[in-house]
Amino acid sequence: MPTLPIQAPCNNRTPMAPTFLLVGLPGLEVAPSWWTVPFIVVYLLSALGNGTILWIIALEPTLHRPMYLFLFLLSVSDVGLVTALMPTLLGLAFADAHAVPAAACLLQMFFVHVFSVMESSVLLVMAFDRALAICRPLHYPALLTNSAISKIGLAIAFRCLGLHLPLPFLLAHMPYCRPQVLTHSYCLHPDMARLACPGAWGAVYSLAVVLSAMALDPLLIFFSYGLIGKVLQGVGSTEDRWKAGQTCAAHLSAVLLFYLPMILLALISQFKLPLPQPAHTLLSYVHFLLPPLINPVLYSVKMKEIREKILRRMFPRKIGCSQ
């Protein structure tokens, strides 16, 4: 691993250096060739699972409905997120490349956060979709038309790009008072912004961007599920409540997978809990890598129609004979 630069005083402002240094997982810097192998396996499994979801929804006309089209967008964000994380992980694994050019680091940061906010946005839209389907079933087909879904997709794209497009340019022109050494195996804007000198207004904008999505979205999601729970209390039979609840089970599990690690990281940072740095970094990996791995399994298991279509495509003769 390259020698880390000496800590610079905060009154010595310098422009962004041409490279950032990735530390990776603390305590395992001397063995980068093996500790990244599980992450590469996770990536391959995530790409396979989400690719299968994308493939089956694209090929099956009967799945071209709002709930499945939003699931399609969720899989796109999952594949994009894990793919954006891989270049630096692979560089550490196979080339021991701790130094990353600033331009490449800013580009990775941009895509990681774009796809992360895209996933948060899609989870929010899916929560509204379930709330509308359960609370207003008669109005559901008229409200969520193909035109409305296209506009929602464009709104998500504009939200992600509009919020994050200025960030690389702001970080590139911020003054830095600390050595440009990152604490992860990939470039994240909180990790990069903390190196800036106190009072750098670009860091404030960066924080506002994150809070606008990662704080607002889960509040609206849980508000939607509050409405769903209120409606389900008035449903006649236990069986009807169970069926209605099952339609939300996969989505609620995906929400918890995505937000719980992030909330834990925020609480640890806010209350200065004495968590070892390796555990803190590992929790960050869980936040980014676990949802893309688990989401395809959740939706394939919980959503009968997705599961049946996959089996029908993969084993057409067996399914045909069993009928």
Side-chain angles (χ1 to χ4, degrees):
M1 179 179 177
T3 303
L4 301 183
I6 299 173
Q7 180 75 24
C10 275
N11 58 2
N12 183 18
R13 298 187 171 213
T14 59
M16 176 178 283
T19 60
F20 280 88
L21 291 179
L22 302 173
V23 174
L25 191 61
L28 294 179
E29 296 92 340
V30 295
S33 60
W34 67 263
W35 68 259
T36 50
V37 170
F39 298 119
I40 296 171
V41 173
V42 166
Y43 170 71
L44 294 175
L45 293 176
S46 300
L48 177 63
N50 286 286
T52 301
I53 296 291
L54 294 172
W55 167 69
I56 202 66
I57 293 176
L59 288 184
E60 290 288 343
T62 57
L63 298 181
H64 294 175
R65 305 201 302 272
M67 179 170 59
Y68 300 108
L69 294 176
F70 295 142
L71 177 58
F72 186 93
L73 291 178
L74 184 67
S75 291
V76 169
S77 65
D78 280 338
V79 170
L81 182 57
V82 293
T83 301
L85 295 170
M86 280 302 111
T88 49
L89 278 173
L90 293 176
L92 284 170
F94 300 114
D96 198 21
H98 290 268
V100 179
C105 201
L106 290 170
L107 188 64
Q108 183 185 49
M109 178 213 71
F110 172 74
F111 282 111
V112 166
H113 290 291
V114 161
F115 285 115
S116 184
V117 172
M118 179 180 176
E119 178 146 359
S120 181
S121 302
V122 174
L123 289 173
L124 174 59
V125 170
M126 292 175 80
F128 283 150
D129 170 73
R130 291 299 84 210
L132 188 61
I134 292 173
C135 302
R136 295 289 185 271
L138 297 180
H139 299 89
Y140 181 80
L143 292 174
L144 277 184
T145 61
N146 289 337
S147 175
I149 294 171
S150 299
K151 292 176 181 176
I152 290 171
L154 286 175
I156 291 174
F158 279 122
R159 183 195 193 198
C160 298
L161 295 175
L163 284 175
H164 287 87
L165 196 57
L167 286 181
F169 301 100
L170 287 174
L171 288 173
H173 293 89
M174 284 166 55
Y176 289 82
C177 301
R178 301 174 182 86
Q180 290 173 205
V181 181
L182 303 179
T183 58
H184 297 283
S185 302
Y186 37 77
C187 303
L188 300 177
H189 83 82
D191 206 12
M192 299 169 72
R194 72 178 173 81
L195 305 176
C197 295
W201 66 272
V204 177
Y205 175 81
S206 300
L207 179 63
V209 166
V210 174
L211 292 179
S212 67
M214 296 307 184
L216 180 62
D217 290 0
L219 290 177
L220 294 175
I221 288 172
F222 290 117
F223 173 75
S224 300
Y225 275 98
L227 295 177
I228 291 173
K230 185 177 179 181
V231 169
L232 290 182
Q233 287 180 352
V235 175
S237 66
T238 304
E239 183 180 356
D240 291 336
R241 286 195 295 271
W242 172 255
K243 288 181 179 179
Q246 280 294 97
T247 64
C248 303
H251 179 255
L252 188 56
S253 299
V255 167
L256 295 175
L257 271 175
F258 184 75
Y259 287 110
L260 273 183
M262 182 189 67
I263 293 172
L264 288 175
L265 284 170
L267 291 175
I268 290 166
S269 177
Q270 177 66 30
F271 295 105
K272 309 295 183 184
L273 299 180
L275 187 72
Q277 184 59 41
H280 188 278
T281 305
L282 186 60
L283 197 56
S284 173
Y285 288 128
V286 169
H287 168 60
F288 284 115
L289 297 176
L290 193 60
L293 176 66
I294 301 298
N295 283 345
V297 179
L298 278 176
Y299 284 101
S300 298
V301 171
K302 292 290 184 180
M303 300 177 76
K304 182 180 178 182
E305 195 165 2
I306 288 282
R307 183 173 66 253
E308 288 181 347
K309 296 296 184 184
I310 292 174
L311 291 175
R312 190 183 299 274
R313 287 278 179 174
M314 294 180 65
F315 309 105
R317 294 181 180 178
K318 293 182 180 180
I319 299 294
C321 291
S322 64
Q323 293 176 344

